Structure formats: C-alpha cells, structure tokens
C-alpha cells in the first residue's frame, strides 16, 4: 500500500470531490473485499450485498476521517466492521430462519407486513435501487461504446477544464432537445455544445466520454446517481435539474 502521508492526501482530496472519492474507492476495492471476507470468514465477491455495504462504509470512512484518528486504513477497517456488524444484526433480527409469510401476531400480520415499514427495508431498498441504477447505466453506456473506466480516465483534472465541461453539460440540460438528439443519434452533438456553451471545442473533444456519460445520466431518471454527482455539476446561479 502507498505511504500513509499520500493516502491522507488522497482522502482529503476525496472529501471535496466525488470523482476523487470514486477513484479512491476503485483503487482500494481489494482492501474492501479483503476486509469483508475476513469479517465473514468466507470469500466475498462484488456481487454480495455485504460487499456493497462495505463499499458504502469505506466512503463513509473517507468523509469522516481526520488526521487525529490515526492511520486511515485502520479507521476504514473499523467503520467497515461496524457497518457489517449492524447489517448482520439486522439480518438476524428481522429475517433469521422465519418464513416471511408466517403469522406474527393476533392481528394475523405476517413478518413481511411488520418489516415492510422498518428502516432496514428502507436501507435495503435504497441499496438495491442504487445497484440497479448503476447496472442500468453501465448497460446504456455500453451502447455508446463507453464504460466507467473510460469516464474516469477522461474526467477533467483541472478546475478550468472542469468548468468548461460543466458549462457544456448545463447547456444540454437546459436544452432538452440536445439530450433527445443524443439519444436519437447516439452521438455527442459537439458543435451545438460548443456554440451554446462557449466552451473550447478541443477541451470538449478531449473529455467527450466524460461529457457523454454525464449527459446520459440526465436522460433517464437516474435520481440516485445524479444526487451523488450534483455537487460536481453545480454552476453559478443554479444547479442541474
């Protein structure tokens, strides 16, 4: 693993940027998988719900970490373990070995009726919804010849470049016919984006895959993903719709 000084630097950068946070999470997926596997004493795959919970816990560790808490990975391991314990307890308490259709009380309510309003179900539904959005977006992006790794590699690294891309994205969001054209032709209308946003064409061309992914997120109700990205796409005078 990298030096602790560099890790701390990366964590603090990830606190300010969702893109940096995503990159940090992606870089340490083996660590997250290892911690999850150690906790459950069995191999963990990226398809396991527990792995998703551990990823969320790692992001929580990024947001909550301060230098006075000691080594970041020790802190992250503690947060992951804590969230997995919470998950294990909730699973045991609410599901156990009981049938969801078993009558639970004198009113004839089943266990499913009882847990339907429980916070655990809300958490589970939220987690499943997020996974479904990511899977759907990945499928749509594939039709356009891009993947999440392409987006990461093409993401703007400088503030000035990011601002130019944000202007182009905002212009497209404010002019829905551009999004319609994108879906219809499966091509990024660069000329219209340049003309409407005033951004430099070469800049937009260099980050075409990033802009394309951001616009696809705006087209099909990816509310959860948009919520995570919205702070990166803010413009002066308002937010993306």
């Amino acid at each position: 693993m990298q030096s602790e000084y560099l890790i701390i630097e990366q964590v603090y950068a990830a606190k300010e940027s969702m893109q940096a946070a995503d990159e940090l999470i992606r870089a340490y997926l083996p660590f997250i998988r290892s911690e999850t596997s150690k906790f459950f004493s069995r191999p963990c795959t990226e398809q396991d719900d527990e792995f998703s919970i551990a990823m969320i816990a790692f992001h929580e560790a990024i947001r909550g970490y301060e230098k006075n808490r000691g080594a970041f990975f020790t802190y992250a391991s503690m947060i992951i373990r804590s969230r997995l314990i919470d998950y294990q307890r909730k699973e045991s308490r609410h599901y156990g070995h009981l049938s969801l259709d078993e009558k639970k009380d004198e009113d004839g309510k089943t266990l499913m009726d009882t847990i339907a309003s429980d916070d655990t179900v809300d958490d589970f539904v939220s987690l499943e919804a997020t996974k479904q959005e990511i899977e759907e977006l990945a499928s749509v992006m594939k039709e356009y010849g891009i993947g999440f790794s392409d987006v990461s590699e093409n993401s703007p690294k400088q503030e000035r470049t990011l601002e130019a891309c944000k202007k182009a994205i905002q212009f497209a969001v404010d002019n829905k016919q551009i999004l319609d054209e994108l879906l219809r032709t499966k091509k990024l209308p660069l000329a219209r984006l340049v003309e409407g946003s005033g951004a430099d064409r070469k800049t937009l061309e260099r980050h075409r895959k990033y802009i394309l992914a951001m616009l696809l997120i705006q087209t099909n109700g990816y509310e959860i993903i948009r919520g995570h990205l919205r702070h990166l796409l803010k413009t002066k005078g308002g937010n993306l719709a």
Side-chain angles (χ1 to χ4, degrees):
M1 289 189 180
Q2 301 179 43
S3 69
E4 188 63 27
Y5 177 80
L6 180 57
I7 292 301
I8 291 175
E9 206 172 53
Q10 292 175 330
V11 169
Y12 273 80
K15 287 174 177 286
E16 305 298 328
S17 164
M18 182 61 71
Q19 176 191 331
D22 288 344
E23 291 174 355
L24 192 60
I25 292 170
R26 190 178 301 110
Y28 288 101
L29 287 178
F31 168 80
I32 297 171
R33 188 184 301 111
S34 174
E35 290 298 305
T36 309
S37 298
K38 281 192 296 184
F39 179 82
F40 286 103
S41 300
R42 62 171 175 78
C44 169
T45 71
E46 295 184 11
Q47 283 68 50
D48 290 332
D49 289 340
E50 294 87 347
F51 181 73
S52 298
I53 290 167
M55 284 182 64
I56 294 171
F58 188 84
H59 185 243
E60 180 184 343
I62 291 172
R63 297 180 62 184
Y65 178 73
E66 299 294 341
K67 293 178 183 179
N68 60 8
R69 295 184 184 274
F72 170 71
F73 286 110
T74 301
Y75 176 72
S77 177
M78 180 187 69
I79 296 297
I80 289 173
R81 179 176 177 79
S82 176
R83 297 301 169 260
L84 289 174
I85 288 174
D86 289 343
Y87 172 79
Q88 193 175 54
R89 286 173 176 168
K90 287 179 180 180
E91 285 290 288
S92 175
R93 183 170 72 248
H94 293 299
Y95 299 102
H97 300 289
L98 296 174
S99 167
L100 295 180
D101 295 319
E102 181 179 340
K103 302 299 181 184
K104 187 175 183 295
D105 55 29
E106 295 178 356
D107 295 331
K109 290 184 178 180
T110 66
L111 184 58
M112 178 59 84
D113 293 330
T114 302
I115 67 173
S117 59
D118 192 270
D119 290 342
T120 303
V121 175
D122 292 338
D123 293 343
F124 178 77
V125 169
S126 178
L127 180 62
E128 285 299 299
T130 302
K131 289 169 63 177
Q132 288 175 13
E133 277 198 13
I134 292 173
E135 289 171 0
E136 181 182 344
L137 178 59
S139 177
V140 171
M141 287 169 59
K142 188 175 181 180
E143 295 178 12
Y144 289 76
I146 59 175
F148 288 116
S149 60
D150 294 317
V151 176
S152 176
E153 291 170 4
N154 283 266
S155 296
K157 302 299 187 293
Q158 298 180 350
E159 185 65 29
R160 184 174 62 179
T161 307
L162 178 60
E163 285 299 321
C165 292
K166 283 161 60 177
K167 287 180 181 178
I169 295 167
Q170 185 67 55
F171 176 75
V173 171
D174 292 339
N175 296 272
K176 299 297 185 183
Q177 68 272 22
I178 292 182
L179 298 180
D180 293 339
E181 179 181 340
L182 171 64
L183 295 176
R184 186 178 67 254
T185 65
K186 285 188 165 51
K187 292 182 180 179
L188 188 66
L190 269 176
R192 296 188 64 184
L193 292 177
V194 170
E195 180 182 0
S197 68
D200 178 68
R201 184 183 181 93
K202 289 184 178 179
T203 297
L204 300 189
E205 286 177 343
R206 282 198 304 272
H207 300 288
R208 182 184 66 83
K209 292 181 179 180
Y210 169 80
I211 295 171
L212 179 54
M214 295 302 104
L215 292 185
L216 287 175
I217 290 171
Q218 298 295 322
T219 63
N220 199 29
Y222 299 108
E223 295 295 339
I224 298 172
I225 297 174
R226 281 211 296 271
H228 286 303
L229 294 175
R230 188 167 289 123
H231 76 284
L232 289 180
L233 301 179
K234 287 179 181 177
T235 57
K236 293 180 181 180
N239 297 324
L240 289 182

